[in-house]
Amino acid sequence: MPPTPELDKLKLAFTGARKLPAATQGVQLRVGADALEDAELLEENLRRLEDAAGLSPLPPAVVPVKAEEEYELRVRAVRLRLSHLGFKDVGDLDSGKMDVKLLKALHSFRQEAGLPRNVGIDAPTWDALQELVALEPPFNVDRWVSPEGKLNPVLTRAMQLRLTVLGMRDNRPVDGVEDQYTRIPLARFEGVVSMLRLAETSTLAKKDLRKKKDVIELLFNHDAQMDAVAEGGPRVREALKDGLELNEQKDLDPEKRYLLRLARAELWLNGYPIGDIREPVREKPMRASLQVHWQHVAPAPLSASALSQLTDRLRLETFQELARQQHEPEVSPEELAAFVKANESTLQDYWTRDVPNNDFFLWDGLRRAFRWLGRQVKRLAEGLADLVRRGVDYAVTLVKNVFRALFQKANQVLTTIRKAATAFVDGVGLYLKGELREGTPNVRAVCRFRPDGDTDLLVLGDDGIDAAKVVLERMKRVGLALQLAATVLALVVGLVGAAARGLIGWIALIAQLVRAAPELLSLVEALAALA
């Protein structure tokens, strides 16, 4: 894409250091002589894509995690999340390298959370951090509160962090101690929820902190809070009747502080540059985000006075519009892929500047990114220069949401591909082993595989017939698993081979993998059902 004045303006918004290898070297994929060699090179090429573009998939659960095999962006995200949860001395927050300090912090987190011991970042550890720190669901309160009502220490940490985001607690270090720095802010949250009538009063009447599962669940259910406020009950309308100033004052009523913080967190989730959501709300970024939002979600262009009315103060209409967006269709992977294809070279450059410099943002708000883009789907068909003419801030928000959607979905897809590859290797390994047995310690049936592809079934003893049926059923399941896994790998081999031959660029490869995600995920779910 040739440079234009509009793209020069947009480039000024992506001035971060080009930290990823893809910035200077591209993604050097190896080309096979034929389809079979492409398949042999698949694992190496995917790892090259991950390393160069900063992607960070999780390893399959069946493969032990080694510290030296971690991915920098995921390591840095884990380090920051552990720090936000109050774990001491996690190491350099800007570092994406696994080190002794982070390993110790991970060990402490797993101990508190009741997770199995491991080295590095495994799926259970990452999922627990997502559940406790990310603002989007899911969150399972029963996982973290015992039947006796005892709070897991990591839940206490996460509660303190969430209460800080909502303005119910000062931005001070969090810990796993259930003391006044937990009880008083939680009581303040309960009071606000009760005053605004956002939950059943019967729930709020419970007095024992440990038994208030419903209140804790609401605290972690950002979507439910947004929907309840957007309903515009009498108390909410009263609090918002004159709108709220966008600069958070120290003496602000708890209900109004909560509403201001809740709206700010929602704008952050939607990709607007709102700042640290643990700190008090500041007028300038809040107003700028509201202006970008309203300029591009209104069904018809807004006059200057109408825009000022909606963005000078926080009003009920903003909550209603933001909540409505969360119930609308998501952008399709095909539409994302088409946008990337039309703007490939520019987006590749911006990716290498933006993705390495985002931490929390990349790992949260995936559903909102897809739905925000869904509302802008017609504009995805426009070129970047046309988007800039609508406003630089808008174009930046769109590009960042595209990156967030591609980054998270691509990580899921790459994790899925590894699961399929593992299943394929396990199935092939069975054939290479030469036989399948049933019965321990006394073997009752054996299926042996010949080099020519034929098999022999040996039945031993009177009960061998039943054992032989088990062997044949296992053989059937292994065959189906191999077929499904091979289908997954064939799809991916074709895409990666096209990129290796220069037919598509590396960011287009990422978009195409995301486009194939529904089919790949469906196949791997079928694989899991065979296990």
Side-chain angles (χ1 to χ4, degrees):
M1 179 183 295
T4 66
E6 289 80 11
L7 292 183
D8 287 342
K9 289 182 183 178
L10 186 58
K11 189 172 184 178
L12 294 175
F14 292 93
T15 55
R18 301 166 82 225
K19 297 178 181 178
L20 296 174
T24 55
Q25 306 166 19
V27 179
Q28 305 297 319
L29 301 178
R30 293 184 60 189
V31 180
D34 51 32
L36 180 59
E37 194 168 331
D38 280 345
E40 293 173 351
L41 293 171
L42 177 63
E43 183 176 0
E44 178 184 347
N45 278 336
L46 287 178
R47 190 55 189 253
R48 288 184 176 206
L49 173 65
E50 293 160 8
D51 290 345
L55 296 171
S56 302
L58 284 166
V62 296
V63 177
V65 181
K66 298 179 181 178
E68 63 269 22
E69 293 179 354
E70 301 294 353
Y71 297 91
E72 288 196 15
L73 292 181
R74 196 180 291 269
V75 169
R76 199 167 72 203
V78 167
R79 195 187 299 274
L80 280 166
R81 288 183 166 186
L82 291 174
S83 175
H84 281 30
L85 288 173
F87 288 91
K88 306 295 184 184
D89 199 14
V90 298
D92 181 3
L93 294 180
D94 293 326
S95 172
K97 301 297 183 183
M98 186 67 72
D99 54 28
V100 173
K101 289 182 177 180
L102 182 55
L103 286 171
K104 287 182 177 179
L106 277 168
H107 177 69
S108 298
F109 173 77
R110 288 192 183 99
Q111 276 191 317
E112 285 193 15
L115 296 172
R117 294 185 64 179
N118 206 335
V119 177
I121 303 166
D122 57 3
T125 302
W126 176 258
D127 291 344
L129 283 168
Q130 277 287 91
E131 187 173 349
L132 292 165
V133 177
L135 295 184
E136 282 194 336
F139 172 79
N140 179 11
V141 68
D142 292 323
R143 176 181 180 181
W144 305 107
V145 181
S146 73
E148 298 75 29
K150 184 178 180 181
L151 305 186
N152 187 296
V154 294
L155 174 62
T156 302
R157 293 174 183 272
M159 286 169 59
Q160 292 177 9
L161 179 60
R162 190 64 61 102
L163 290 163
T164 300
V165 168
L166 292 175
M168 302 293 101
R169 179 181 180 276
D170 291 338
N171 187 14
R172 61 187 308 277
V174 306
D175 55 42
V177 181
E178 190 183 318
D179 56 13
Q180 71 268 27
Y181 296 111
T182 305
R183 294 191 186 97
I184 294 174
L186 186 61
R188 194 173 292 133
F189 172 75
E190 292 181 44
V192 166
V193 168
S194 177
M195 181 67 69
L196 295 175
R197 297 289 190 267
L198 302 183
E200 294 291 337
T201 54
S202 59
T203 293
L204 301 177
K206 301 175 184 177
K207 294 183 179 180
D208 191 338
L209 170 66
R210 295 171 303 173
K211 296 179 180 178
K212 293 185 179 177
K213 286 187 177 181
D214 291 342
V215 176
I216 294 171
E217 193 165 27
L218 180 61
L219 174 65
F220 283 87
N221 195 334
H222 177 87
D223 292 0
Q225 294 177 60
M226 283 295 300
D227 286 341
V229 172
E231 287 178 7
R235 296 294 181 88
V236 172
R237 289 183 180 274
E238 177 65 24
L240 293 171
K241 68 176 182 178
D242 297 320
L244 299 181
E245 290 185 13
L246 303 181
N247 204 41
E248 182 181 328
Q249 304 295 329
K250 288 186 177 181
D251 59 351
L252 192 62
D253 292 341
E255 298 84 17
K256 295 180 177 180
R257 186 188 308 277
Y258 163 79
L259 291 170
L260 198 57
R261 293 290 192 100
L262 184 67
R264 195 258 304 267
E266 180 65 23
L267 288 168
W268 181 85
L269 275 173
N270 277 274
Y272 299 106
I274 208 75
D276 189 338
I277 59 174
R278 297 170 300 168
E279 295 290 341
V281 177
R282 291 294 169 250
E283 181 176 5
K284 185 176 179 180
M286 191 73 171
R287 186 189 304 278
S289 297
L290 287 172
Q291 287 176 341
V292 175
H293 173 75
W294 277 109
Q295 281 173 332
H296 299 97
V297 300
L302 296 171
S303 66
S305 60
L307 183 62
S308 176
Q309 173 77 6
L310 288 167
T311 59
D312 283 353
R313 300 173 79 85
L314 178 62
R315 302 184 185 279
L316 178 60
E317 290 89 338
T318 296
F319 283 101
Q320 292 173 332
E321 182 59 37
L322 287 168
R324 181 161 48 246
Q325 180 173 293
Q326 302 321 311
H327 301 282
E328 294 187 353
E330 297 181 353
V331 66
S332 73
E334 290 78 13
E335 289 157 340
L336 267 182
F339 176 75
V340 169
K341 182 179 179 180
N343 303 281
E344 191 169 358
S345 61
T346 303
L347 291 176
Q348 285 187 165
D349 180 48
Y350 294 168
W351 177 286
T352 64
R353 296 177 184 276
D354 190 63
V355 167
N357 298 299
N358 276 293
D359 297 306
F360 269 67
F361 176 73
L362 278 177
W363 305 101
D364 207 346
L366 177 62
R367 192 159 47 83
R368 279 166 173 77
F370 271 85
R371 287 179 177 165
W372 190 94
L373 290 167
R375 298 195 79 176
Q376 312 299 321
V377 66
K378 291 181 180 178
R379 291 170 187 169
L380 283 175
E382 302 175 11
L384 277 175
D386 294 326
L387 294 174
V388 174
R389 293 187 191 105
R390 296 182 179 275
V392 174
D393 291 337
Y394 168 75
V396 170
T397 302
L398 187 142
V399 170
K400 285 178 176 286
N401 272 317
V402 167
F403 287 169
R404 177 166 56 166
L406 290 178
F407 183 84
Q408 289 200 45
K409 277 292 185 183
N411 287 330
Q412 292 177 11
V413 171
L414 290 167
T415 300
T416 296
I417 293 168
R418 279 180 165 73
K419 291 178 180 177
T422 299
F424 188 79
V425 169
D426 287 348
V428 171
L430 179 65
Y431 286 95
L432 293 177
K433 185 179 178 182
E435 65 179 26
L436 177 63
R437 299 183 175 203
E438 174 64 21
T440 303
N442 298 319
V443 177
R444 295 175 295 155
V446 180
C447 184
R448 289 177 177 161
F449 313 118
R450 297 184 195 170
D452 61 5
D454 205 351
T455 59
D456 293 322
L457 180 62
L458 305 180
V459 179
L460 308 174
D462 295 337
D463 55 353
I465 297 297
D466 291 336
K469 291 178 179 178
V470 173
V471 169
L472 292 174
E473 180 62 27
R474 287 176 63 190
M475 285 291 301
K476 179 181 177 182
R477 293 165 75 87
V478 169
L480 287 172
L482 278 169
Q483 183 179 357
L484 289 168
T487 303
V488 171
L489 297 179
L491 279 170
V492 179
V493 166
L495 292 174
V496 175
R501 288 167 175 78
L503 301 179
I504 58 174
W506 59 264
I507 196 169
L509 171 58
I510 292 172
Q512 291 296 334
L513 287 172
V514 171
R515 184 178 181 179
E519 183 175 1
L520 296 175
L521 291 170
S522 174
L523 289 167
V524 171
E525 285 176 3
L527 262 176
L530 293 172

